[in-house]
Amino acid sequence: MQLPDYKGQQLAEQTFQRVIVASAIIGFIYGYIIEQFGWTVYIVLAGFAISCLLTLPPWPMYRNHPLNWQPEVQTEEKKQIECVKKPKKHK
């Protein structure tokens, strides 16, 4: 599993916010025109669902700048434990 990078997190957050705000504006205008508050709620909920589909899965566009992790430092205790370990025999 590859973790998202900070630029990818920023892109996901901006996408989420833009879709929510756009759906809220469209929902408000449409609900005001037809005088039904329920449609406003439905459109905002649909925008929320769309934004979740766009931002929650680990899409490749959010993983363009992976973080480079430092290698694990081997301590003397770990080296000794690895040397002492014997392979298990299966019966």
Side-chain angles (χ1 to χ4, degrees):
M1 181 175 105
Q2 191 177 22
L3 297 173
D5 56 79
Y6 292 117
K7 291 180 183 179
Q9 289 177 359
Q10 182 181 15
L11 177 62
E13 180 69 24
Q14 289 174 348
T15 303
F16 184 79
Q17 289 178 355
R18 288 176 181 155
V19 171
I20 292 291
V21 169
S23 67
I25 291 170
I26 292 168
F28 178 77
I29 292 170
Y30 184 72
Y32 184 78
I33 290 171
I34 65 167
E35 297 178 359
Q36 289 287 322
F37 182 72
W39 277 100
T40 301
V41 174
Y42 294 144
I43 292 172
V44 170
L45 289 176
F48 176 75
I50 291 169
S51 65
C52 286
L53 287 174
L54 290 174
T55 58
L56 292 180
W59 297 110
M61 64 184 170
Y62 301 130
R63 297 184 290 153
N64 288 335
H65 308 282
L67 299 175
N68 294 322
W69 297 91
Q70 292 184 352
E72 180 182 5
V73 177
Q74 291 286 332
T75 62
E76 288 298 320
E77 293 175 9
K78 285 185 180 180
K79 288 179 184 177
Q80 289 175 357
I81 291 172
E82 289 176 359
C83 292
V84 174
K85 285 185 181 178
K86 295 180 182 177
K88 294 182 179 181
K89 295 181 181 177
H90 297 286
K91 293 182 181 182

